[in-house]
Structures are given as structure tokens and as C-alpha cells.
Amino acid sequence: MLLFCPGLICDARTFAPQTAAFPDSRAINAYGLVDSLQDMARIVIDTADREGAERFDVFGHSMGGRVALEVYRLAPERVRRLALVSTGVHSPREGEPASRAALQQVGYDKGFTALVDQWLPPMVAEPNRDKAELYEPMRQMCLEAGQDVFDANVRALLGRPEVESLLPQIDCPVLVMTGELDAWASPAQHEAIAAVIPNSELVIVPGAGHMLPLEAPGEVNAAIANWLSRPVRD
């Protein structure tokens, strides 16, 4: 089984092109008001348990990449393969709490629509922002999450545990992937991640931004198919 973990104020719709292409897959619809990455990871593991999957592959996008790492930390023997996509592994940096709080304040002062309309555009490659059939469903997905979910996600991100020391210990096949035009989780950041994971493959998708699974579904699906073909430990 392949499990997809969504990012900040996103849900299973992020992975609609992937779940359509890979029948033995499930996307976590959302994390609700859970506000720790570890508890989000337990939701993923509980999903595998309900589906009767003793071992599984985990694909995490953006914040979901950090969730996927916590799944591996909690149950490394169950994770066959790991995909870290459009994500990061660094601890909170100077200024991050203040910048996230400033964005939250936009929602409090001007409404959640104003927050989404400030946050979402930089997450999408500029050429794709004018594609209404792509951008508007993404925007609607984020709007439906609401301020409370945004705040819970931010608390989870700011309380994230250290993971950089975990990366060299990962012993399953790892896909590290981002968009060429991702201004939030850059190719250089993913090159650094791949460099410290022993059994990793780096994929940079041309012309795509942060919302990679929806912006470049064909390229993402091809990378997934290749990743799923890689042999795993017994």
C-alpha cells in the first residue's frame, strides 16, 4: 500500500492524479486540529492498520514530508519506501515563528480568504497561476481548511522535532523530489537532503512549483512508478 501525506491546509485532493493512477494507494484526507507532527504520523499509521497493511510506502508532500519522516521514526520496520517531496528537514530558523505569526494575523484581521490569497500564489509556479482549472480547485481546497486548521498546522510545524540526524539512518529507498521553480522548498534544499540519505534518488521536475503533485502530475506519477519499482529490504 502507498500512503500519501498532505501538507499545510491541504487534503487528499492534492493527490487526486496519483490516487487515480495507483489503485493500491490512499491519501490522508486531512489531520483535523491535530497540532503535532508525531500525532499526524500516528494518523497515517492508523490508516495503514485499518487497511490491513503491515508494511507500506509513504509519500509526503510539503509538511507531509515531515509527517512521513515521523512515520519512519515511529515505525521504521513498516516503511518499505519513503518519498520526501517539496519539503524541508531543518529545525525552525530565526524569524520563522514571527513570519508565520504575521501570516496568521492576516487571517485574524482580514479573514481567511485574505490569508490564502497571500499564501497560495507563491506556492504555485508563476506560469501555472493563470490556469484556472488548476489554480481555482487548489485555492478552494485551502479555503475549506479554515483558520483553525491553519493554526494547528503552524503549531505542528513550529514544534517539529529535529530530523537531520535521522536522515543518514534511513535504510529504505527514498525519493527526494521538488519542482524546479519551487521558491519555498528549493532544488538546492533537496540536493542537500538527498546527499545525506544513503539510498536516495533526486528528481527535479522542470517548470513546476511547490504544489508539485497537481502542477506536474505526469512527471510525478512517472517518478512514483520508478520509485515503487526499487527493491526493498525483506
Side-chain angles (χ1 to χ4, degrees):
M1 168 166 286
L2 168 56
L3 297 171
F4 291 98
C5 308
L8 181 72
I9 57 169
C10 292
D11 60 31
R13 284 171 281 186
T14 304
F15 306 111
Q18 287 72 51
T19 53
F22 299 95
D24 189 27
S25 67
R26 301 288 184 276
I28 305 304
N29 191 45
Y31 309 106
L33 297 180
V34 170
D35 61 359
S36 82
L37 296 180
Q38 298 94 326
D39 287 342
M40 292 174 180
R42 292 184 180 97
I43 290 173
V44 178
I45 294 170
D46 287 347
T47 300
D49 290 343
R50 286 196 302 274
E51 296 289 341
E54 180 59 31
R55 300 184 69 199
F56 46 85
D57 308 303
V58 187
F59 181 111
H61 174 254
S62 193
M63 181 184 74
R66 295 183 179 275
V67 174
L69 283 167
E70 294 309 309
V71 172
Y72 185 86
R73 196 198 305 265
L74 288 170
E77 73 288 350
R78 298 185 66 182
V79 177
R80 295 183 304 196
R81 302 175 186 87
L82 183 66
L84 306 175
V85 180
S86 308
T87 193
V89 297
H90 53 279
S91 297
R93 293 167 172 161
E94 184 178 357
E96 182 180 339
S99 65
R100 292 193 184 275
L103 189 56
Q104 289 174 280
Q105 197 64 46
V106 171
Y108 305 149
D109 293 343
K110 300 180 181 178
F112 192 64
T113 298
L115 185 158
V116 169
D117 286 341
Q118 180 172 320
W119 174 79
L120 182 58
M123 299 292 163
V124 181
E126 190 169 0
N128 292 328
R129 295 174 204 166
D130 294 330
K131 298 176 181 177
E133 73 281 4
L134 172 67
Y135 188 84
E136 288 306 318
M138 257 191 279
R139 179 175 180 268
Q140 185 61 33
M141 172 182 66
C142 295
L143 287 172
E144 288 176 15
Q147 183 79 46
D148 289 346
V149 169
F150 185 86
D151 291 349
N153 288 177
V154 166
R155 289 194 297 273
L157 286 167
L158 292 178
R160 60 189 183 257
E162 183 273 333
V163 295
E164 289 173 301
S165 63
L166 176 66
L167 302 183
Q169 303 174 41
I170 298 174
D171 65 353
C172 65
V174 179
L175 170 63
V176 180
M177 179 165 56
T178 195
E180 174 195 20
L181 303 179
D182 191 333
W184 184 259
S186 69
Q189 182 165 292
H190 288 72
E191 290 168 4
I193 294 171
V196 295
I197 299 177
N199 193 13
S200 66
E201 177 187 9
L202 175 68
V203 175
I204 307 298
V205 179
H210 190 71
M211 301 299 280
L212 186 57
L214 290 169
E215 290 187 65
E219 292 87 342
V220 169
N221 288 357
I224 291 173
N226 182 65
W227 170 62
L228 292 177
S229 73
R230 297 175 64 189
V232 298
R233 65 187 185 278
D234 293 331

